[in-house]
Amino acid sequence: MLLSLLFTFCGNKAQDVMLAAANELFEAEKYEEAKTAYQKLLEIYPKNKLAYYNLAVIDIKSNNPDGAVANFSKAIEIDPFYGNAYLSRGKIYMSQKNYEAAEYDFKSAQIDESVFEDALNELGRLKVATGNYEEGIQLITKCIQLNDTALLYRLTRASAFFELGLYDRSLNDINHVLGRKPKNWEANLLKARNYMEKPQLDSVLYFLDRARLFSKDHPMVYSAFSDYYLMTDEPSMAIAYAEKGLQLNTNYIPLIINKARAFDGMEKFEQANTIYNEVAELADSIPEFHYYLAKNKVYLGDSTGAILSLTDAIALRKNYSEAYKFRSILKARLGDVEGAVNDQKLSEGAGYFLRKNETDAKKQDSKEPSTP
């Protein structure tokens, strides 16, 4: 059919007809047929960027991210100002944790006005995901100024405020989201986590229950329940919620770590250590894993090993105040007075970083009207 159309029409008109026919198959979700149609089109018209773009989308739907990257890249070679292709390729790089490549693409996508806001948002989300919270907040704030109705922007910024210890500012954004969408489970969950940190424990279970209801039992919610019961020194309840969450996702690392922490709380140190060792490779990039592993090693009498674990935690989070403080105590026990004093200063410096954020936030809040 497509070849006969080619002989019926000539020039750009033939190309348009072939593209329209392929697009029709694509929109009907006949992806294999559409793929064949796009490939035939490209044999004759190799400079058709839309064909490459849609082939990339088909690759994504076929769980072939490398193929998608290749086809988005071909579309960009044809049109170096193709913002949508940069944006879509950047999202794949982001999912693969290729953050440098993703950042380049999200910045490049901003040359296209039609995707400028989306690209700015993705860049902000990338900064938050990689721990550059202040820069992420600045970018997401620009997105909010462009579009105040996008609840995802508020949630992303609320998460960044939470990570910086700016709980009132985080709650301000969360309340904005819940005012428009009370059943948003992520907002309910983040509100519960803020109340855990403030602490305002009387309200935590209420918002956790809402998050569990509206999320239809997401493992992240069970992780928060487990955190709550660890905080209230109820390790058996923490284990119960961790195990329930693990029934939904057997490889969810925060739940596994919480289960190990709960065994430590019950003084079942060897049992906890076994769990830590089982997930060491998977959890290696999580600073909290190394911090709690250090505590477990202390319980088992391995202070030197604990210091190494704390050093790993600090390498992953430069302003990890609790890790510096814990390492300072351990170094003092081992007679390293100079190292202990230095870590104490670093702990205070990390604490100063958080206090400075709080002070700056209060100054900013005094200039801006609060969100209802």
Side-chain angles (χ1 to χ4, degrees):
M1 173 185 171
L2 290 173
L3 291 177
S4 64
L5 285 171
L6 176 62
F7 292 110
T8 305
F9 299 93
C10 61
N12 287 333
K13 191 170 184 181
Q15 183 175 188
D16 291 343
V17 169
M18 292 182 74
L19 181 63
N23 287 345
E24 188 175 336
L25 293 168
F26 178 86
E27 289 164 8
E29 299 183 3
K30 297 178 179 179
Y31 296 124
E32 285 303 317
E33 294 177 52
K35 184 175 181 178
T36 301
Y38 287 125
Q39 288 170 338
K40 286 183 178 178
L41 168 62
L42 288 168
E43 288 174 8
I44 305 166
Y45 302 102
K47 296 293 185 181
N48 193 299
K49 66 178 185 180
L50 294 174
Y52 278 118
Y53 184 91
N54 281 356
L55 277 174
V57 174
I58 292 171
D59 283 328
I60 291 172
K61 292 179 180 296
S62 303
N63 195 27
N64 179 18
D66 292 337
V69 166
N71 280 313
F72 283 134
S73 298
K74 288 175 182 175
I76 290 167
E77 286 175 17
I78 295 166
D79 180 2
F81 300 95
Y82 196 176
N84 223 342
Y86 283 115
L87 179 63
S88 299
R89 188 176 69 176
K91 289 178 180 179
I92 296 175
Y93 285 141
M94 179 78 166
S95 70
Q96 296 174 332
K97 297 186 178 180
N98 186 350
Y99 297 124
E100 185 177 350
E103 181 171 352
Y104 170 83
D105 276 356
F106 294 147
K107 287 180 176 177
S108 298
Q110 293 177 44
I111 60 177
D112 185 342
E113 187 177 343
S114 67
V115 297
F116 174 83
E117 185 182 319
D118 286 340
L120 194 66
N121 170 52
E122 291 298 334
L123 183 59
R125 284 161 54 83
L126 182 150
K127 293 297 182 181
V128 172
T130 54
N132 298 306
Y133 302 118
E134 291 178 313
E135 195 174 349
I137 286 168
Q138 291 174 1
L139 292 165
I140 298 298
T141 298
K142 289 180 182 178
C143 291
I144 292 171
Q145 291 167 349
L146 292 170
N147 181 5
D148 190 38
T149 63
L151 300 186
L152 177 61
Y153 300 164
R154 293 275 182 174
L155 271 176
T156 303
R157 191 171 71 170
S159 297
F161 282 140
F162 174 80
E163 294 295 340
L164 288 172
L166 303 176
Y167 305 122
D168 288 336
R169 298 205 80 183
S170 181
L171 285 166
N172 188 48
D173 273 343
I174 293 165
N175 288 337
H176 185 101
V177 174
L178 291 176
R180 297 185 183 182
K181 198 171 181 181
K183 294 184 179 180
N184 185 296
W185 73 268
E186 293 165 301
N188 279 283
L189 175 59
L190 191 51
K191 189 162 188 176
R193 286 205 171 277
N194 270 279
Y195 282 151
M196 271 192 254
E197 296 296 333
K198 282 182 73 69
Q200 196 170 323
L201 299 183
D202 290 346
S203 302
V204 172
L205 288 177
Y206 171 77
F207 287 104
L208 285 180
D209 282 331
R210 288 175 63 83
R212 180 169 57 178
L213 173 65
F214 301 139
S215 74
K216 297 180 181 178
D217 293 329
H218 196 284
M220 284 178 63
V221 180
Y222 283 105
S223 179
F225 269 109
S226 185
D227 283 334
Y228 170 79
Y229 286 112
L230 285 167
M231 180 178 287
T232 57
D233 197 24
E234 300 175 75
S236 59
M237 289 292 289
I239 288 175
Y241 275 97
E243 288 180 339
K244 193 163 186 178
L246 288 168
Q247 290 173 5
L248 302 169
N249 185 342
T250 56
N251 294 317
Y252 193 65
I253 297 299
L255 285 167
I256 297 172
I257 293 174
N258 278 0
K259 188 174 178 180
R261 289 174 61 197
F263 279 125
D264 276 332
M266 299 169 73
E267 299 187 359
K268 296 180 179 180
F269 306 128
E270 293 288 354
Q271 206 164 340
N273 188 257
T274 299
I275 295 172
Y276 285 122
N277 289 330
E278 285 174 352
V279 297
E281 188 173 342
L282 291 172
D284 187 59
S285 62
I286 302 173
E288 290 84 1
F289 165 75
H290 296 284
Y291 178 78
Y292 292 118
L293 176 59
K295 286 196 166 187
N296 175 260
K297 287 180 177 179
V298 170
Y299 296 143
L300 293 171
D302 183 9
S303 294
T304 303
I307 288 174
L308 292 174
S309 291
L310 289 168
T311 302
D312 289 336
I314 291 165
L316 293 165
R317 181 183 296 167
K318 301 299 183 185
N319 63 330
Y320 204 157
S321 178
E322 296 90 343
Y324 282 119
K325 190 180 298 182
F326 191 13
R327 194 172 69 173
S328 173
I329 293 169
L330 294 178
K331 284 182 177 180
R333 287 182 188 173
L334 295 175
D336 182 3
V337 177
E338 184 179 347
V341 170
N342 187 52
D343 272 352
Q344 183 60 36
K345 289 179 180 178
L346 290 169
S347 169
E348 292 168 358
Y352 169 78
F353 171 77
L354 292 176
R355 290 192 297 274
K356 184 178 183 299
N357 281 327
E358 291 171 357
T359 302
D360 292 346
K362 287 176 182 176
K363 289 179 181 177
Q364 185 66 26
D365 287 339
S366 67
K367 297 177 184 177
E368 298 179 357
S370 62
T371 304

